[in-house]
Amino acid sequence: MATITFIGLGNMGGPMASNLVKAGHDVTVFDLSKDAVQTLVSEGAKTADTAHQAAEGAECVITMLPAGQHVEAVYLGDDGLLAKLPEGTLVIDSSTIAPETARGVAEAAQARNIPFLDAPVSGGVGGAKAGTLTFICGGDEATFAKAKPILDAMGKNIFHAGPHGSGQVAKICNNMLLAILMAGTSEALALGVKNGLDPAVLSEIMKQSSGGNWALNVYNPWPGVMENAPASRNYEGGFLVNLMTKDLGLAFDNAVKNQASIPMGSLARNLFSIHAGQGNGTLDFSSIQRLYKPE
């Protein structure tokens, strides 16, 4: 068992930290949300007043933060964690950020002899709660091997994608595809319903046909079709539209830098940006259905 500091207890980070506690690790948590911290404390975690205090004595520091600027603020600079952590402290960042940002943090960590892994996740809030997340890791083999026993407490599929930044590249590719699939699934369901089909029946037909995909199988965007999906909870919780829009922006920026063509990804970015701009940014990303089915 390891002594772990977990920073960032949002919709994903909270359940991830909870699973580390359940696995028997000595976990200290920090977040700006007092309610989120108290939830973890009630489950057996410790807490501290600052991120620096939380990281004191930690063998491993894990962060799950909204964007690249938050990751840089936590780790870099004279007041960042990397300037204070002892050599050899394992650092795992599970935020979804630009690959070059992850590489920048990794370089700063290497200069301090601190092993660093970018390890974004896939699987959503359901996967975070169930401990079945997919971790997509970028870093050297030795750091990956050191981190894997800890990641195993939070995930089912642990991949080593390649050197630093590779985890982020794979993650933004995955989320771009996810956004395309969710928008397309929503569009198809709306067309069927316009023609008088039952959305649940149409969903089942497509699940068993060539249009089957993850959105239909476990995350149906049409309200009432799938009991445990965010769509049946007024799109509350889950993976926020604002975060999907951010990730699609990361994919777009990366495509520009690498002169890659992403026409479908660009369209998905525009659709989610429009949806966010209509006041839906804090809803689950499956609420893109509302673009095709206004309520």
Side-chain angles (χ1 to χ4, degrees), residues 6-22 27-31 33 35-45 62-65 94 121 124-125 127-131 133 153-154:
F6 202 109
I7 299 172
L9 304 174
N11 289 339
M12 296 292 292
M16 291 165 65
S18 177
N19 282 324
L20 290 172
V21 174
K22 292 174 184 175
V27 181
T28 300
V29 298
F30 177 78
D31 193 276
S33 169
D35 289 342
V37 169
Q38 286 307 310
T39 296
L40 267 296
V41 170
S42 70
E43 296 179 4
I62 302 173
T63 44
M64 181 54 125
L65 301 168
S94 287
V121 302
V125 175
K129 291 179 178 178
L133 290 171
M154 301 178 286

Side-chain angles (χ1 to χ4, degrees), residues 99 102-103 106-107 110 115-118 138-140 143 162-168:
R103 294 185 190 109
E107 289 174 6
Q110 286 178 314
F116 175 84
L117 204 67
D118 55 281
D140 60 61
T143 302
H164 292 122
S166 298
Q168 300 297 344

Side-chain angles (χ1 to χ4, degrees), residues 120 122 131-137 148 151-152 154-159:
S122 180
T132 58
L133 290 171
T134 294
F135 282 86
I136 312 165
C137 304
K148 191 174 184 301
L151 300 179
D152 281 336
M154 301 178 286
K156 183 174 69 173
N157 302 298
I158 318 296
F159 291 103

Side-chain angles (χ1 to χ4, degrees), residues 231-268:
S232 297
R233 304 192 306 269
N234 201 31
Y235 299 107
E236 294 178 356
F239 183 55
L240 305 187
V241 171
N242 283 338
L243 294 179
M244 177 57 86
T245 304
K246 179 209 74 173
D247 291 355
L248 289 167
L250 293 175
F252 182 84
D253 292 344
N254 188 273
V256 170
K257 290 175 183 175
N258 289 282
Q259 296 184 327
S261 177
I262 54 165
M264 296 295 289
S266 297
L267 178 57

Side-chain angles (χ1 to χ4, degrees), residues 72-144:
E72 291 177 327
V74 166
Y75 286 116
L76 303 183
D78 293 339
D79 293 327
L81 286 182
L82 293 180
K84 311 294 182 181
L85 292 174
E87 291 186 7
T89 305
L90 174 63
V91 172
I92 303 170
D93 178 49
S94 287
S95 317
T96 298
I97 59 178
E100 55 267 27
T101 302
R103 294 185 190 109
V105 176
E107 289 174 6
Q110 286 178 314
R112 294 269 299 134
N113 293 318
I114 293 173
F116 175 84
L117 204 67
D118 55 281
V121 302
S122 180
V125 175
K129 291 179 178 178
T132 58
L133 290 171
T134 294
F135 282 86
I136 312 165
C137 304
D140 60 61
E141 290 279 2
T143 302
F144 176 73

Side-chain angles (χ1 to χ4, degrees), residues 263-288:
M264 296 295 289
S266 297
L267 178 57
R269 175 175 176 254
N270 288 338
L271 291 172
F272 278 92
S273 294
I274 291 168
H275 188 49
Q278 293 176 342
N280 301 298
T282 58
L283 298 179
D284 180 77
F285 82 107
S286 62
S287 64
I288 194 72

